[in-house]
Amino acid sequence: MENALRPLAVIGGAVLLTLVLGWAVDRLLRRADERHPETPLWGMLRRCRLPLQVVLLGALLRAGYRETHWSLVQRHETGIGHVLSLVMIGSVAWLVTRIVSAVVESSYARYASSTRDPARVRRVRTQITLIMRIVTAVLAVVAAAAMLLTFPGMEKFGASMLASAGIIGIVAGVAAQSTLGNLFAGFQIAFGDMVRIGDTVVVDGEWGVVEEVTLTFLAVRTWDERRITMPVSYFTSKPFENWSRGGVQMTGTVFFHLDHSAPVALMREKLQEILGECKAWDGRDWSLAVTGTTPSTIEVRVVVTAKDADDIWTARCVVREQMIAWLCEKHPYALPRIMTSAASLPPDGQWPGAGAGRGRPLRAEEIHSNNAGDYALDGEPSVEPPRTGRG
């Protein structure tokens, strides 16, 4: 009976103590969050409850698994202890990652709530995203190395790896030039403030918003919900448009090709009326001017302003749609059209190139012949058959 109760007492006691300690820590964090609502750290630390319980359970079982006195445990005592050690190392790395993430995110939340400049907020968000990825990768590597060192014989393997580190580094550097280039480009983007999460960019003719920045690639969400994934080295080696850099306010243009009789003054009044009812217009500036002319049309340019790239697109579409509808309804003569009319005769009714006294154009056989003067006009008797050759 004692042999059956002892294992249950050891394992059940470890599980019960883990649950109680996890609940107590979560309760303390909840009270701290209620007392200090201005600090989001305590609420974010509550996400560490699960990895904390795994660490506690692994530590309790690692310390007391021998007390079960099970024959199975005694036969595999070394292997069970090794597995529990690996679980503890992995759970500790998981717990540290969650704690670092909570601290970084709470700091970012406080900074975002106290800063009114959205450009700085996006820059900090990009930087902490890359920092968290680096910290996670470092912790994963350290945890994996610690797990490997728990296996017998890994010390010699580690020494041999250190001895050949120079050769391995050279080979890896040559083989992974593009990967290392993207890695350093990611650092340059994060801390060089070239492009940030949330920036509106134009890349290869595609307009979109930067959605994700990693150490190796950057994802852009286009207006039609597509994702363009590009290596970060592209943004350090090729030019691109960043509409959010230096302020998010935008100026847009709308071009109209109209007839020369278009009522430009009335168009200005109508434009002012359209913008007055357009919510996307920020009220900073607007203009309408004739910027070009051709033999058949004039070019009218409308300039409007908006607070960001999304609103400038909306304002341009509204102006274009309503102005065209107004012209079609009120001033249809202003729309471009192709003018056709009958050809006017030259003075005295003579066609260029016609013979004396001939009021008609030459025929094809007359043009390609050297005896056109001998041809009879329509209705005249022919003197002799025309010659078609030379000489």
Side-chain angles (χ1 to χ4, degrees):
M1 188 67 177
E2 182 180 357
N3 292 335
L5 292 178
R6 182 183 293 272
L8 293 177
V10 172
I11 298 176
V15 173
L16 181 60
L17 184 59
T18 298
L19 294 176
V20 171
L21 290 177
W23 175 83
V25 172
D26 184 71
R27 189 69 178 178
L28 292 175
L29 292 175
R30 182 181 299 178
R31 288 186 177 181
D33 188 30
E34 293 175 354
R35 292 180 179 179
H36 303 282
E38 75 282 356
T39 304
L41 175 62
W42 308 113
M44 293 181 179
L45 284 176
R46 295 182 60 192
R47 296 181 299 181
C48 304
R49 179 177 178 178
L50 181 58
L52 176 62
Q53 289 177 337
V54 175
V55 171
L56 292 175
L57 182 59
L60 292 174
L61 292 179
R62 181 67 177 83
Y65 76 99
R66 293 187 181 89
E67 301 300 328
T68 59
H69 297 300
W70 270 357
S71 58
L72 179 63
V73 174
Q74 292 176 353
R75 287 196 304 268
H76 303 282
E77 179 179 347
T78 304
I80 294 175
H82 192 193
V83 171
L84 292 175
S85 298
L86 295 178
V87 171
M88 285 188 58
I89 294 173
S91 59
V92 168
W94 185 17
L95 177 61
V96 173
T97 303
R98 285 288 183 89
I99 293 175
V100 173
S101 177
V103 173
V104 172
E105 290 184 13
S106 63
S107 301
Y108 167 73
R110 295 187 64 180
Y111 179 82
S113 61
S114 61
T115 303
R116 297 183 178 180
D117 188 357
R120 291 185 178 181
V121 174
R122 291 197 301 269
R123 179 181 61 186
V124 174
R125 180 184 176 188
T126 304
Q127 293 175 353
I128 65 171
T129 300
L130 293 177
I131 290 174
M132 277 306 306
R133 293 182 183 274
I134 295 172
V135 171
T136 302
V138 170
L139 289 175
V141 171
V142 171
M147 291 180 179
L148 290 176
L149 291 177
T150 60
F151 292 90
M154 292 301 297
E155 295 83 0
K156 296 181 180 180
F157 179 72
S160 62
M161 288 181 61
L162 291 175
S164 58
I167 300 176
I168 294 176
I170 295 175
V171 174
V174 174
Q177 287 183 359
S178 60
T179 303
L180 293 177
N182 286 327
L183 182 64
F184 288 110
F187 282 105
Q188 187 175 354
I189 287 177
F191 298 98
D193 199 22
M194 299 176 58
V195 62
R196 300 153 297 197
I197 297 176
D199 282 2
T200 301
V201 297
V202 178
V203 182
D204 283 345
E206 294 284 353
W207 178 91
V209 178
V210 178
E211 188 176 51
E212 184 180 4
V213 179
T214 68
L215 292 177
T216 56
F217 70 89
L218 187 146
V220 178
R221 185 184 75 252
T222 61
W223 64 272
D224 54 355
E225 301 299 330
R226 291 181 293 116
R227 266 66 175 180
I228 302 177
T229 302
M230 309 186 70
V232 293
S233 59
Y234 176 91
F235 293 87
T236 59
S237 59
K238 296 182 180 180
F240 64 96
E241 296 183 27
N242 189 342
W243 290 7
S244 301
R245 187 172 179 83
V248 296
Q249 295 178 341
M250 298 289 297
T251 299
T253 57
V254 181
F255 289 94
F256 297 96
H257 295 276
L258 305 174
D259 188 79
H260 290 83
S261 60
V264 178
L266 295 179
M267 290 179 64
R268 289 193 180 96
E269 297 178 1
K270 182 61 179 178
L271 175 62
Q272 189 174 9
E273 178 184 344
I274 294 173
L275 294 178
E277 299 176 356
C278 180
K279 297 181 180 179
W281 182 55
D282 62 357
R284 287 190 295 121
D285 191 17
W286 68 272
S287 66
L288 187 147
V290 178
T291 56
T293 181
T294 67
S296 58
T297 62
I298 60 173
E299 181 186 73
V300 178
R301 186 190 69 179
V302 173
V303 177
V304 295
T305 59
K307 64 181 180 64
D308 54 28
D310 293 334
D311 283 354
I312 198 63
W313 173 265
T314 303
R316 292 171 61 193
C317 292
V318 169
V319 169
R320 187 182 297 111
E321 178 181 349
Q322 295 190 17
M323 186 66 73
I324 290 295
W326 176 75
L327 288 174
C328 291
E329 180 182 0
K330 301 295 184 180
H331 305 279
Y333 61 87
L335 300 178
R337 57 188 182 274
I338 299 176
M339 302 294 294
T340 59
S341 61
S344 300
L345 292 175
D348 301 330
Q350 299 296 322
W351 287 87
R358 297 183 179 183
R360 62 171 179 82
L362 297 177
R363 295 193 298 266
E365 57 268 24
E366 297 173 347
I367 296 174
H368 293 284
S369 178
N370 59 355
N371 57 350
D374 298 332
Y375 295 156
L377 298 176
D378 294 340
E380 298 180 359
S382 176
V383 179
E384 62 179 3
R387 293 179 299 171
T388 59
R390 293 182 179 271

